[in-house]
Amino acid sequence: MANITRVGQLGSTGTSSGPHLHTIVKNLKTGEYEDPGIHRSKFLNVRIGPNRVPKYIDDGKGGLMLNPAAGLVMTSGWGPRNTGIAGASKYHRGRDYAGKEGTEIFVEGDIKFTPRPNAGGYGNLATWTTPDQKYELGYGHMKTLGEASDLTGGKVADPSGAGSDPKEFLLGYLMGTGFTGQPKESEGTKMKRALVQQLLQPQEDNTFSQLLAMLPNPYVG
């Protein structure tokens, strides 16, 4: 069964005309917001309500359409607008979908979810990144937010193995992975690399266990 993250409830926090999902798509390379209407496929893992129905479904023409069963209606598209609401943007960098306040919103898959409460005009903002780490997706004006989570597989932040069990580093190295790619040439990595090379050479005085014991253990001291 796929992982599923509760990102929160549809609401009207921040600068809002009523309960709705303000949908954003941010290009993490350029830092610019893009029209969610051309990125519908990135929201195929969004689930709405207690029955967790898909937000989008196949329109039968090779495209995607808003799922009627989701109970959402688009009320504001991308681009120039005049809502008459004080503080509202004159150029809408997102799309709004009205729905019943309190509707639960979920996202399936191995995502990194970051809740951002009280994010200015967005109110409570729920954000998560696409698996390729190229885009940040999100919903503003949420009534409540889910708990932060990272289901992306627990990638090791430092490929040198710092902060991890050295025995796991050694096993990963011998298997050709080195965690998330080639280890960085930090001092710790150089030492570990040298020990691995020693391990692969005929040894007269040291056993495999002795070599493992020589590796620094970050959990001690």
Side-chain angles (χ1 to χ4, degrees):
M1 180 179 292
N3 287 319
I4 189 160
T5 300
R6 175 187 177 272
V7 301
Q9 294 175 310
L10 186 152
S12 58
T13 56
T15 304
S16 172
S17 60
H20 70 280
L21 296 173
H22 171 76
T23 308
I24 63 168
V25 174
K26 185 178 182 180
N27 186 316
L28 294 178
K29 181 177 181 180
T30 65
E32 298 292 330
Y33 289 95
E34 299 180 4
D35 183 358
I38 63 175
H39 290 289
R40 290 188 179 94
S41 62
K42 292 180 173 58
F43 293 88
L44 281 172
N45 57 346
V46 171
R47 299 292 180 264
I48 309 295
N51 294 326
R52 300 180 183 178
V53 301
K55 179 182 180 182
Y56 289 109
I57 57 175
D58 189 340
D59 65 2
K61 303 176 183 177
L64 296 171
M65 61 178 283
L66 196 62
N67 185 356
L72 302 175
V73 177
M74 194 180 81
T75 54
S76 183
W78 173 276
R81 67 174 183 173
N82 185 4
T83 64
I85 300 174
S89 62
K90 301 298 183 182
Y91 193 96
H92 198 215
R93 290 177 171 80
R95 292 195 177 212
D96 292 345
Y97 296 89
K100 183 179 179 181
E101 184 170 13
T103 298
E104 297 281 357
I105 311 297
F106 305 88
V107 179
E108 284 190 350
D110 300 333
I111 67 166
K112 181 177 182 180
F113 170 61
T114 304
R116 298 177 180 174
N118 304 314
Y122 289 134
N124 295 325
L125 178 62
T127 65
W128 65 96
T129 52
T130 55
D132 58 11
Q133 305 296 307
K134 292 183 178 180
Y135 291 90
E136 178 182 81
L137 312 179
Y139 290 131
H141 310 299
M142 302 293 282
K143 180 178 181 179
T144 64
L145 293 169
E147 296 183 3
S149 64
D150 186 351
L151 303 177
T152 57
K155 294 180 181 178
V156 177
D158 180 1
S160 71
S164 60
D165 189 323
K167 295 180 178 63
E168 292 179 1
F169 174 90
L170 181 59
L171 290 174
Y173 189 97
L174 290 173
M175 293 175 67
T177 62
F179 287 100
T180 56
Q182 292 298 319
K184 294 179 180 178
E185 290 300 325
S186 65
E187 289 303 315
T189 298
K190 289 179 181 179
M191 181 186 70
K192 293 171 186 176
R193 186 187 295 277
L195 288 174
V196 171
Q197 291 174 343
Q198 291 180 37
L199 176 64
L200 297 178
Q201 298 296 324
Q203 301 294 321
E204 296 180 358
D205 301 321
N206 291 327
T207 64
F208 180 79
S209 297
Q210 289 173 325
L211 281 171
L212 288 179
M214 291 171 63
L215 293 172
N217 193 328
Y219 299 108
V220 178

